[in-house]
Amino acid sequence: HCVSFEDLYVRLGDYETLDPMPYCLNNHCIPKFYNISVDMKIVHENYNGITLQNDIALLRMSEAVEYSDYVRPICLLVGEQMQSIPMFTVTGWGETEYGQFSRILLNATLYNMDISYCNIKFNKQADRSQICAGSHTSNTCKGDSGGPLSSKFHYGNRLLSFQYGLVSYGSERCAANVAGVYTNVSYHREWIFNKMVQFKPTGHTTFWLSKLVGQTCNITDIIRNIELMYNRIVYEN
């Protein structure tokens, strides 16, 4: 529901939104963010603005992403069933309990809840294309929409972070102890891959797919490392 008709760009490597300088500690710096323009917006053709079902879109970037220690994709499983898990991690720069947008990337732990709870709470007919998740201590809010709902599990002999959902809607009060509804990315995998093939830029589709299921898709550890470095910088200064 966030995709507009305006020109868009994707910002990569951002952590603290108000500080354009890189973050340095012991001669090691987190690079500045960089932007890549969007040359195509692919909104789900069955998106419903009332029920917010199929609340998902793809943004095709005008050039390939250059990955680093701080810019990597999150994983999606291809041709396999995602594990049913009890907890998720959600990240974003949305409004906090103080009514202001966060200047640093925050994360919170949410619990997987029965979809019937969200149906009653929001008087909507959420279905298996959506996920109901919440916590007694945390919640998503304005500005978090479109952010990833993820979880770690072992795939082969490696612990990887996989994307399960996208922030869709929740309580206007943004209070803790209130669940929210998330677009179920696993449910939409076939749609995602079909659109990637249909609208692929020359030579890029294999690159995208290989990176989505490849060796470098552990974004949660990257976020934690950045936060650790940031906390040390603040403490030492």
Side-chain angles (χ1 to χ4, degrees):
H1 65 266
C2 297
V3 177
S4 68
F5 293 103
E6 301 174 353
D7 291 338
L8 298 178
Y9 61 85
V10 175
R11 176 172 289 180
L12 301 164
D14 203 359
Y15 177 70
E16 184 178 1
T17 59
L18 299 181
D19 188 354
M21 301 300 293
Y23 325 106
C24 299
L25 177 67
N26 297 330
N27 296 321
H28 181 70
C29 297
I30 300 173
K32 291 181 180 179
F33 62 80
Y34 64 96
N35 300 328
I36 298 180
S37 61
V38 171
D39 65 9
M40 181 175 287
K41 308 163 192 174
I42 308 166
V43 178
H44 199 293
E45 52 272 17
N46 294 323
Y47 167 65
N48 187 316
I50 298 176
T51 65
L52 291 180
Q53 289 171 318
N54 301 307
D55 187 12
I56 188 171
L58 295 177
L59 303 178
R60 193 181 74 177
M61 289 174 278
S62 59
E63 58 187 271
V65 174
E66 182 178 351
Y67 294 135
S68 69
D69 288 341
Y70 312 106
V71 177
R72 296 187 186 182
I74 198 166
C75 297
L76 291 176
L77 272 182
V78 180
E80 297 183 41
Q81 187 66 32
M82 296 284 276
Q83 294 184 15
S84 177
I85 45 91
M87 293 185 297
F88 303 106
T89 297
V90 65
T91 54
W93 288 271
E95 282 190 12
T96 67
E97 63 269 29
Y98 306 108
Q100 297 179 329
F101 291 106
S102 175
R103 65 185 179 92
I104 62 172
L105 183 62
L106 300 177
N107 65 73
T109 298
L110 302 180
Y111 294 89
N112 195 352
M113 304 176 68
D114 193 282
I115 198 67
S116 61
Y117 176 85
C118 284
N119 282 336
I120 296 172
K121 185 67 181 178
F122 301 109
N123 194 27
K124 293 180 182 288
Q125 290 301 311
D127 56 25
R128 62 192 184 94
S129 70
Q130 296 161 300
I131 295 171
C132 181
S135 167
H136 292 293
T137 59
S138 304
N139 198 1
T140 51
C141 196
K142 299 173 184 176
D144 287 322
S145 293
L149 186 75
S150 65
S151 187
K152 278 188 174 184
F153 63 83
H154 283 92
Y155 185 78
N157 60 352
R158 303 184 65 221
L159 184 64
L160 299 173
S161 291
F162 289 83
Q163 184 160 2
Y164 277 78
L166 297 167
V167 180
S168 184
Y169 68 89
S171 169
E172 292 185 0
R173 296 185 295 110
C174 303
N177 204 27
V178 178
V181 176
Y182 300 78
T183 301
N184 188 338
V185 172
S186 299
Y187 179 89
H188 291 92
R189 280 181 301 177
E190 184 175 352
W191 179 85
I192 292 171
F193 297 136
N194 286 341
K195 295 303 179 183
M196 288 174 65
V197 172
Q198 181 181 355
F199 297 107
K200 67 177 180 179
T202 304
H204 281 194
T205 299
T206 301
F207 175 81
W208 286 352
L209 286 174
S210 66
K211 289 299 182 183
L212 285 171
V213 297
Q215 298 294 314
T216 59
C217 46
N218 198 340
I219 197 169
T220 304
D221 285 342
I222 299 168
I223 292 171
R224 287 175 178 168
N225 289 338
I226 293 174
E227 288 176 338
L228 179 60
M229 180 179 294
Y230 176 81
N231 290 335
R232 286 176 178 170
I233 293 171
V234 172
Y235 179 79
E236 292 183 0
N237 289 341

